[in-house]
Amino acid sequence: MIYKGLKGVTCTETTLSMIDGERGKLIYAGYDARDLSMNHSFEEVAYLLWYGTLPNESELQWIEEKFKTHRNLPHYMKNIIENLPKELGILDVLRTSISSVHLNSPEIPTVEDAIRLTAIIPAIIAYRLHSLGTKKFPTIRQDLNHVAYYYYMATGIDPKPELTHALETYMILTMEHGLNASTFSARVTASSESDLASSMTSAIGTMKGPLHGGAPTGVIELLNDASHSNNIKSMIREKMERGEKLMGFGHRVYKTLDPRAEALKEILQQNPKADQWFSLALELEDIAIQTLEELKPGRNLYTNVEYYAAAVMKALNIDSSLFTATFTASRIVGWSAHVMEQRSNNTIFRPNAEYIGPVPTTF
């Protein structure tokens, strides 16, 4: 029996997350991910995934300081970023920059190196924008938590709590999500006993693929089409009849409401700055779900996290070219946690492929 894409195949055990696609539940290390996103910081949830417990006061202070310690961009990395072709996208830049990081522990993946790789991403993005002449490279700040610092470096906007709360919710909810394509890439690389930076490079390369990390950008295109349409229902129906995929609807795992989308929707409802795009997103969601049920009955296609992620980032004035980079900036925590888990009880991945080509007559 061949399982294309390894769909439904269980190949490892994990303590990091559990996805209940039938009930629409997501658990991080024994905690409801939605509750974590509403009541805890990015640093706290990162600590949970890396260590298996939420931090106490002194542990939280320690990890917050560690994040700040590793924010500076070394000169050699600035030179790399400056000399990369201008045509390369931001995921290409992240992939190449992360691969160049000198780790403190190249043999064994550590939390210290995981923090370093996570903490440096905002500066990589900001310096790339600077090198392209898009934005001035901001001053590295030590007074902000990680998500506020990310927002500041990516946009140049002084972060306000009402803005960064929505972004922090998104970045916590996308921090970890089981054995998805990029996480699997990271674990496969780690299983060969390669180093943490190489595993993160594999994961970023996989994240670049439009079937995995590119969905929020597609949602913006859908919202833009809706904003210029006199009849959203007809627009959606025409797209579906042409065989186009409605980006932001449906999920390979969730067969009911995506709990991450519901949490982001709730956060947007609390954000007065999100009125225009949020109202459009709500209207489009209702019409699209009705149309999907008419044309694809019984498929249970609902909005996924990318749908409301796009609305959040549009409301926060984060450029659409940075959507997948923002996804990467959060998911690197889950990737690195998986790498450490893989190496703690390692077996190299080596599945089989069934040969279907010609065989010599003398064989």
Side-chain angles (χ1 to χ4, degrees):
M1 179 70 73
I2 296 173
Y3 297 91
K4 294 287 183 72
L6 300 180
K7 184 176 181 179
V9 175
T10 301
C11 61
T12 191
E13 294 178 321
T14 184
T15 62
L16 297 173
S17 68
M18 183 190 78
I19 307 163
D20 186 336
E22 298 298 327
R23 298 171 58 208
K25 299 292 184 182
L26 176 60
I27 305 299
Y28 287 176
Y31 294 86
D32 187 298
R34 179 190 176 107
D35 291 343
L36 288 170
S37 73
M38 298 292 186
N39 299 302
H40 294 275
S41 68
F42 182 95
E43 289 86 345
E44 286 177 289
V45 182
Y47 190 99
L48 170 66
L49 290 175
W50 285 330
Y51 285 106
T53 61
L54 285 168
N56 59 33
E57 186 175 344
S58 63
E59 290 165 339
L60 177 58
Q61 184 177 0
W62 172 83
I63 197 171
E64 288 175 341
E65 288 304 313
K66 282 293 182 182
F67 265 91
K68 293 173 183 177
T69 299
H70 293 296
R71 285 178 176 173
N72 290 320
L73 204 62
H75 289 297
Y76 79 83
M77 194 177 290
K78 290 181 179 179
N79 290 334
I80 289 172
I81 294 170
E82 288 172 355
N83 285 286
L84 288 172
K86 295 186 182 299
E87 294 79 14
L88 290 183
I90 193 65
L91 264 288
D92 300 305
V93 175
L94 284 173
R95 180 196 61 214
T96 302
S97 300
I98 290 296
S99 73
S100 74
V101 173
H102 176 69
L103 302 172
N104 292 328
S105 176
E107 292 82 17
I108 302 296
T110 65
V111 172
E112 180 85 24
D113 280 335
I115 293 172
R116 185 180 183 190
L117 294 171
T118 306
I120 205 171
I121 284 179
I124 293 172
I125 292 171
Y127 198 77
R128 177 59 171 180
L129 297 176
H130 167 75
S131 71
L132 294 174
T134 306
K135 287 184 173 66
K136 182 179 178 181
F137 187 64
T139 302
I140 302 292
R141 292 175 59 173
Q142 301 295 330
D143 60 318
L144 302 172
N145 68 21
H146 182 67
V147 172
Y149 171 69
Y150 176 85
Y151 181 68
Y152 163 72
M153 295 297 281
T155 65
I157 300 171
D158 190 44
K160 300 292 190 294
E162 64 270 18
L163 296 176
T164 56
H165 179 50
L167 183 59
E168 187 158 40
T169 300
Y170 167 73
M171 292 183 75
I172 290 172
L173 288 168
T174 54
M175 195 179 281
E176 159 59 12
H177 205 243
L179 211 57
N180 54 79
S182 55
T183 300
F184 186 61
S185 292
R187 288 193 80 132
V188 169
T189 302
S191 78
S192 72
E193 296 190 355
S194 189
D195 59 81
L196 182 61
S198 296
S199 296
M200 298 303 94
T201 302
S202 295
I204 294 170
T206 307
M207 177 68 85
K208 182 186 173 186
L211 292 183
H212 185 32
T217 303
V219 175
I220 288 296
E221 293 172 1
L222 181 62
L223 286 168
N224 282 332
D225 288 345
S227 70
H228 295 103
S229 175
N230 294 323
N231 190 324
I232 294 177
K233 187 177 181 67
S234 294
M235 178 206 76
I236 292 172
R237 182 176 288 273
E238 288 169 7
K239 282 179 176 291
M240 292 181 64
E241 289 174 347
R242 290 195 299 267
E244 294 182 27
K245 179 177 173 59
L246 287 188
M247 301 305 290
F249 291 85
H251 195 276
R252 184 168 178 175
V253 176
Y254 294 109
K255 306 308 176 188
T256 183
L257 297 174
D258 185 334
R260 303 168 299 169
E262 289 295 290
L264 289 176
K265 184 177 180 179
E266 183 177 330
I267 290 296
L268 276 169
Q269 288 172 319
Q270 301 168 5
N271 187 348
K273 296 183 179 297
D275 286 348
Q276 176 188 355
W277 281 97
F278 181 50
S279 297
L280 178 61
L282 282 176
E283 181 183 4
L284 178 59
E285 178 187 26
D286 289 341
I287 295 172
I289 289 175
Q290 291 173 15
T291 308
L292 284 164
E293 182 58 31
E294 290 172 13
L295 298 182
K296 297 185 177 183
R299 291 281 300 277
N300 296 323
L301 298 172
Y302 300 98
T303 46
N304 57 40
V305 67
E306 285 84 8
Y307 185 82
Y308 278 107
V312 164
M313 286 188 267
K314 187 74 174 178
L316 299 183
N317 294 314
I318 295 176
D319 191 85
S320 61
S321 65
L322 298 181
F323 285 5
T324 308
T326 306
F327 191 177
T328 300
S330 64
R331 185 56 62 82
I332 194 169
V333 173
W335 292 336
S336 53
H338 273 275
V339 166
M340 287 184 277
E341 184 177 66
Q342 179 67 35
R343 289 295 300 276
S344 70
N345 184 19
N346 188 46
T347 300
I348 191 169
F349 284 95
R350 180 59 173 88
N352 296 324
E354 182 176 325
Y355 179 70
I356 58 172
V359 177
T361 56
T362 57
F363 186 75

